[in-house]
Amino acid sequence: ADLRDHAVFPAETTTVTKETIDTPLGSLPCTRYDVATGEATLVYWFAAAHPGMPVRSATLSDGVEVEVTTVVAISRTAKEDKD
């Protein structure tokens, strides 16, 4: 439950949109979640092509990105590649 709950956003403070972003992984169609926290807005881009963690996340203060995390590579085990 803890792992799942870290990505649950309160509906009353979250806006969900579709957006294609350019990343080191290529151009990715994403679902973007903007979560207002009062002092800042947390933004997460999730790509259906790469399920799991967001491929990009940012903290915005007054509309300006003050912290950004971007996935630069994804590797899979040999077993996963065979599936």
Side-chain angles (χ1 to χ4, degrees):
D2 289 339
L3 181 60
R4 180 201 66 223
D5 291 345
H6 86 280
V8 174
F9 307 119
E12 62 276 2
T13 59
T14 303
T15 303
V16 182
T17 56
K18 299 290 185 180
E19 181 177 352
T20 298
I21 62 171
D22 292 322
T23 75
L25 304 173
S27 182
L28 298 172
C30 293
T31 302
R32 174 180 168 154
Y33 293 81
D34 289 62
V35 184
T37 65
E39 294 180 13
T41 300
L42 306 177
V43 185
Y44 304 93
W45 290 263
F46 291 90
H50 302 290
M53 66 182 282
V55 293
R56 186 172 194 271
S57 62
T59 301
L60 282 62
S61 179
D62 295 323
V64 177
E65 290 182 342
V66 294
E67 182 176 329
V68 176
T69 302
T70 303
V71 173
V72 297
I74 296 174
S75 62
R76 293 182 170 77
T77 65
K79 182 177 189 283
E80 289 174 330
D81 288 339
K82 292 179 184 175
D83 293 337

